[in-house]
Amino acid sequence: MVSGVEYSPIKCREDPKINHVMPTSRERVFYQVDYPPGIFLMEVIMFERTIKLIGEDNLNKLKKANVLIVGLGGVGGICAEALVRSGIGKITIIDYDTIEESNLNRQIITNIKTVGQKKVEIALEKLQNINPELEIKALDIFLNEENINNLAQYDFIIDACDTVTTKVLLIKYALNNNLKIISCMGTGKRLDLTKLEISTLNKTYNDPLAKIVRKKVKELGLPLNIPVVFSKELPLNNEKDIASMIFVPATAGLLLANFVIKKIIE
């Protein structure tokens, strides 16, 4: 098995004297409503407006869904948060990086106090603080040929990493195991978030990263109609160091999450 930290959901406790659920002290919520025993009261309140938008049946689909997200940087961090706030009940997060000062201008999981800490540990704490009922695995690993087959089955895989070999490996793994996947292409060196769109790998353009990934996937004899988020905007410079601000990566992360949510409830 892949080593990692797995956290079980926090359960509410029922008060046998009254016909509603009392949250645990950690949840710090007490709100008398006429819901049947056994319902997690905090979740009921948290997703009240979500239910009004998509309905209870669709929320239940999201709560049962199991999603893998690889990469917790400018794209993946906000994607993971959007998934949890939208009701995804099971999630596995993978990242091997440590937070650096240069991440602070765009990566939503970071702040000055988290510099030097592992991204998976910070993301894990943040996501559990959003929804304590979340079932989450945090794997502090670099995904490669040796460990990828130890992963579980997922309803969706989200590739939010920036390593070409890992992107191609995830696409290969998903297609070989009949798993749904969406991959994010390049978001660095770009400023216009309105140029982002969801398409397929074979239809991308103005994206050097997508060109490389497309070539390698084609060499493996795999189909190129894989859903991707990419930018139509040409890179603003050709410097070796990747320039970036929050706007394009964060929007790409939201597009990834939105795509997955809609696919699960359709």
Side-chain angles (χ1 to χ4, degrees), residues 192-234:
D192 189 350
L193 57 84
T194 68
K195 295 294 178 64
L196 286 164
E197 68 175 48
I198 296 175
S199 185
T200 52
L201 184 59
N202 58 315
K203 294 180 180 179
T204 57
Y205 58 93
N206 290 346
D207 190 328
L209 176 60
K211 184 177 180 180
I212 297 171
V213 173
R214 186 167 60 243
K215 180 176 181 291
K216 291 185 176 296
V217 170
K218 187 176 181 180
E219 288 173 350
L220 293 173
L222 299 172
L224 298 175
N225 59 340
I226 303 146
V228 298
V229 172
F230 87 104
S231 175
K232 297 178 288 184
E233 182 183 12
L234 283 167

Side-chain angles (χ1 to χ4, degrees), residues 96-165:
Y96 192 58
D97 285 346
T98 299
I99 295 172
E100 301 176 351
E101 288 90 343
S102 61
N103 302 147
L104 295 173
N105 78 322
R106 68 194 184 282
Q107 298 188 12
I108 202 74
I109 67 169
T110 68
N111 62 62
I112 195 66
K113 294 181 179 179
T114 61
V115 172
Q117 299 184 53
K118 300 295 290 189
K119 288 184 179 179
V120 286
E121 295 175 2
I122 298 304
L124 174 70
E125 181 179 8
K126 184 173 187 180
L127 297 176
Q128 284 195 311
N129 284 336
I130 292 169
N131 183 8
E133 300 301 328
L134 177 69
E135 295 183 34
I136 183 169
K137 281 186 178 180
L139 302 179
D140 182 16
I141 61 172
F142 183 81
L143 207 58
N144 56 37
E145 290 274 7
E146 296 179 0
N147 57 29
I148 192 167
N149 289 319
N150 293 328
L151 295 176
Q153 293 290 306
Y154 302 96
D155 296 296
F156 235 106
I157 294 174
I158 299 175
D159 161 31
C161 72
D162 53 12
T163 305
V164 171
T165 54

Side-chain angles (χ1 to χ4, degrees), residues 44-59:
V44 169
I45 300 169
M46 175 178 178
F47 294 116
E48 179 182 8
R49 297 192 183 194
T50 303
I51 292 172
K52 289 179 179 179
L53 183 63
I54 65 174
E56 188 173 356
D57 289 343
N58 282 329
L59 176 61

